[in-house]
Amino acid sequence: MKRLAALLLPLLLALPAAAQTRGPVPFLGFAVGGSSLPEAFSGCTSDARSAGEIRAGLSLGRVAVEARGAALLAGYAQCLIILSEEVHLPGIHPAVEYPFERGDAHLAAEMRVRYGLPLGLPLVVAAGAGWLAPQDLPYLVASAGIRTRGRVRVALDLDRNWFRVPYDVVVREFGEHGEPGPALSTNRKHDWRAGLGARLGLEVPLR
């Protein structure tokens, strides 16, 4: 009997807190921080963005599902530097062109599934997917963070994002002064490009 108890005790301690709650608990929150986006999205030379975010979700013990919406904006000082257009020598050259407009104001919407680590640690991990506007591109996100205890919880998250970026490799003939001519061929491709994010905010359970 003692041996059986010794085997069961660690399992009981590691059971998710969901088994100890009476039902799901909705929550609301907000956060501020920063993000870096792939250079292909930027209208300025800097890929850094300030971020403001709201979130809402439903938690059941250690597991939570949450929706987030964020506005990502470049600072005015960053936008004083304008990207210069690439200059080509006369002749036939390939060039990379993007099928979306570059800019310095973005909106992001995403869904995440979050899990709080056991044994009393305030650490959480999360994974999810989202959509970035106005480029209309999907992305994946993985996150690690901290949630304090209490009625009002401090929330800190460090994010890693992967954006699916389409682009065209266009072969053009450029004129004597570098002016582009009609496309001779176009090859559509895509790759995954990474970004980082950090958010500090508050979450309030609604029960």
Side-chain angles (χ1 to χ4, degrees):
M1 194 63 157
K2 292 182 179 180
R3 185 172 299 178
L4 180 60
L7 291 173
L8 291 177
L9 183 58
L11 295 175
L12 292 174
L13 291 175
L15 282 176
Q20 305 171 16
T21 62
R22 296 182 178 178
V25 178
F27 63 88
L28 297 174
F30 71 93
V32 295
S35 292
S36 67
L37 296 177
E39 185 181 350
F41 300 160
S42 300
C44 298
T45 55
S46 174
D47 60 358
R49 299 288 182 273
S50 299
E53 183 178 86
I54 57 174
R55 57 186 69 163
L58 200 64
S59 64
L60 181 62
R62 299 192 191 282
V63 179
V65 178
E66 62 180 68
R68 298 187 176 201
L72 312 175
L73 304 174
Y76 177 75
Q78 296 171 343
C79 292
L80 293 178
I81 304 175
I82 305 299
L83 285 171
S84 60
E85 294 185 0
E86 187 176 0
V87 178
H88 293 276
L89 297 174
I92 297 176
H93 304 284
V96 173
E97 299 181 4
Y98 296 99
F100 50 78
E101 292 186 7
R102 305 171 77 171
D104 302 297
H106 309 267
L107 296 175
E110 65 183 52
M111 293 291 296
R112 300 187 183 195
V113 176
R114 191 174 77 200
Y115 179 71
L117 299 184
L119 302 179
L121 297 175
L123 303 178
V124 298
V125 293
W131 198 264
L132 185 74
Q135 284 74 23
D136 289 331
L137 297 177
Y139 65 91
L140 302 175
V141 59
S143 175
I146 294 174
R147 294 295 184 278
T148 62
R149 299 179 183 273
R151 179 61 183 169
V152 178
R153 302 170 184 172
V154 176
L156 173 64
D157 292 308
L158 300 178
D159 300 338
R160 179 76 167 179
N161 301 303
W162 294 270
F163 299 87
R164 188 183 187 278
V165 181
Y167 61 94
D168 297 325
V169 179
V170 182
V171 178
R172 296 182 184 275
E173 183 171 6
F174 292 83
E176 181 179 355
H177 302 289
E179 66 275 12
L184 303 177
S185 67
T186 301
N187 186 13
R188 172 61 58 90
K189 297 184 177 183
H190 77 270
D191 56 25
W192 290 88
R193 304 185 188 181
L196 295 173
R199 303 283 192 275
L200 178 62
L202 300 175
E203 291 182 2
V204 181
L206 300 181
R207 194 180 72 178

